[in-house]
Amino acid sequence: MTTLTMEQRRADFEAMLKRAERVRAAGQKRREMCPEADGLVLARLTEEISDLCYGWHEAAHRASLGTLAPYTVGQVTKSALHVAAHCLAALRDRDPDGYLESARREGYLSLRSRDMGMAPSVRIGRLITYLGDLAACSTDSYDPNGEIAPHRFRALTVEAVCAALAAERGLWQEEES
């Protein structure tokens, strides 16, 4: 089992969140020139999460065979950071001043074992579940005041940042207790 203190895990989470923020900032100019409708935001997130889930499955399988290449680890981490960056961009659109702090707070409150090893099917299922929750609340009839969607974006941000952390640590499978 990985022996990281909660302080180390939080520091790692903070560093990875900052990386996701840099990815978000790098794409900000393009987003300002070509604003995305809510439907396109969800479509793009769906594609990015699909890539992340497929990459995670592939990496876990290769790790179990002992044939995991560093390139694969980098690709999965990059996919996770893109998902987190896209969520941060959506949060920034909704709360330009407090979006990063709210994501940080959400991460600290719900870190639990998400940044550690878990069965690939659980991690993939969690990512898809959070995307589904976000898609469900994106309609005005479900979230008329627009208060639920930011929470769903924050939750998906945390999930993606934790996936990036676990990928960098090489924790493709559930850890032994």
Side-chain angles (χ1 to χ4, degrees), residues 88-100 102 105 150 154:
L88 287 172
L91 285 169
R92 185 176 186 270
D93 291 345
R94 288 161 174 78
D95 180 12
D97 298 325
Y99 74 100
L100 195 55
S102 69
R105 230 181 2 262
R154 283 190 300 272

Side-chain angles (χ1 to χ4, degrees), residues 11-12 14 27 38 71 96 102 121 132 144 154:
D12 289 350
E14 178 69 28
D38 286 344
Y71 172 78
S102 69
S121 60
R154 283 190 300 272

Side-chain angles (χ1 to χ4, degrees), residues 52-168:
L52 173 56
C53 290
Y54 181 79
W56 195 276
H57 168 75
E58 213 33 53
H61 177 69
R62 289 177 185 226
S64 71
L65 299 175
T67 61
L68 183 63
Y71 172 78
T72 306
V73 174
Q75 285 300 105
V76 173
T77 304
K78 183 179 175 182
S79 291
L81 286 173
H82 277 277
V83 170
H86 211 103
C87 291
L88 287 172
L91 285 169
R92 185 176 186 270
D93 291 345
R94 288 161 174 78
D95 180 12
D97 298 325
Y99 74 100
L100 195 55
E101 185 56 38
S102 69
R104 182 176 292 118
R105 230 181 2 262
E106 177 90 13
Y108 288 173
L109 292 173
S110 59
L111 197 55
R112 295 190 194 107
S113 63
R114 294 176 186 177
D115 62 324
M116 305 302 276
M118 67 173 61
S121 60
V122 172
R123 184 163 314 271
I124 290 167
R126 290 180 69 90
L127 288 162
I128 293 169
T129 298
Y130 280 104
L131 176 63
D133 290 346
L134 176 59
C137 77
S138 67
T139 64
D140 290 339
S141 60
Y142 182 79
D143 188 15
N145 300 325
E147 295 172 1
I148 300 172
H151 173 68
R152 298 294 193 243
F153 275 114
R154 283 190 300 272
L156 188 53
T157 301
V158 170
E159 210 60 45
V161 168
C162 287
L165 283 169
E168 280 204 343

